[in-house]
């Protein structure tokens, strides 16, 4: 199970996931600098740590690396939810409490996800899940 990303790791991974293409440290740095003062070496260290932890893969591009996400943000979020749920001594009560925290829009998304998982409607991309 993945551990939750730290604040800076999450900020970096958010960009990698959103851009959905190989990215350089420089690109991430320039985008992060719009929000905060941060050094190139800090971003480089975070991206190297993310590589060591298996969150991103990297390929040499000249004198730099290009980083690509290993999985999606949705998969990361699902793994965190699963880990939290599995730690509960009463999973049903935990789910009821979680559902109670959801907005109407989130509940609609949950209902759509259940229909997709049950094969009642196609997933994104038009394919039905295999059973």
């Amino acid at each position: 199970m993945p551990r939750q990303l730290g604040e800076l790791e999450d900020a970096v991974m958010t960009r990698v996931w959103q851009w959905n293409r190989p990215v350089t440290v420089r690109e991430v740095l320039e985008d992060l600098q719009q929000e905060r003062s941060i050094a190139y070496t800090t971003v480089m260290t975070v991206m190297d740590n993310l590589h060591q932890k298996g969150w991103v893969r990297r390929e040499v591009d000249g004198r730099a690396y290009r980083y690509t996400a290993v999985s999606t943000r949705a998969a990361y979020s699902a793994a965190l939810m699963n880990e939290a749920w599995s730690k509960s001594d009463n999973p049903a009560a935990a789910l009821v409490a979680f559902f109670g925290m959801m907005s109407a829009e989130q509940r609609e998304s949950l209902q759509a996800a259940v229909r997709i998982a049950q094969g009642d409607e196609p997933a994104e991309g038009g394919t039905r899940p295999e059973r």
Side-chain angles (χ1 to χ4, degrees):
M1 291 289 160
R3 70 166 186 80
Q4 188 169 353
L5 295 169
E7 179 188 347
L8 190 50
E9 289 174 327
D10 186 69
V12 169
M13 284 305 301
T14 294
R15 283 147 179 87
V16 174
W17 282 319
Q18 285 176 342
W19 296 339
N20 197 29
R21 61 172 173 76
V23 300
T24 64
V25 171
R26 176 75 50 205
E27 290 173 309
V28 174
L29 170 72
E30 289 173 358
D31 200 61
L32 284 171
Q33 285 179 330
Q34 295 177 27
E35 300 172 0
R36 62 176 92 187
S37 177
I38 190 166
Y40 180 91
T41 53
T42 301
V43 177
M44 183 176 62
T45 298
V46 169
M47 295 187 80
D48 184 60
N49 289 343
L50 289 167
H51 176 255
Q52 298 299 321
K53 293 175 182 180
W55 288 103
V56 293
R57 65 172 90 33
R58 66 185 180 193
E59 294 180 17
V60 176
D61 183 11
R63 294 179 42 181
Y65 287 112
R66 288 205 172 265
Y67 294 84
T68 308
V70 170
S71 66
T72 64
R73 182 167 199 100
Y76 165 69
S77 297
L80 289 178
M81 288 187 289
N82 186 57
E83 181 178 11
W85 185 45
S86 69
K87 289 181 179 178
S88 174
D89 60 349
N90 187 340
L95 282 175
V96 169
F98 180 64
F99 297 155
M101 295 176 196
M102 291 179 153
S103 67
E105 182 179 292
Q106 289 170 321
R107 283 192 298 277
E108 287 175 19
S109 294
L110 175 64
Q111 290 169 342
V114 168
R115 287 191 300 272
I116 291 166
Q118 292 175 335
D120 296 338
E121 62 185 58
E124 210 172 295
T127 59
R128 294 189 185 275
E130 292 188 26
R131 294 185 193 200

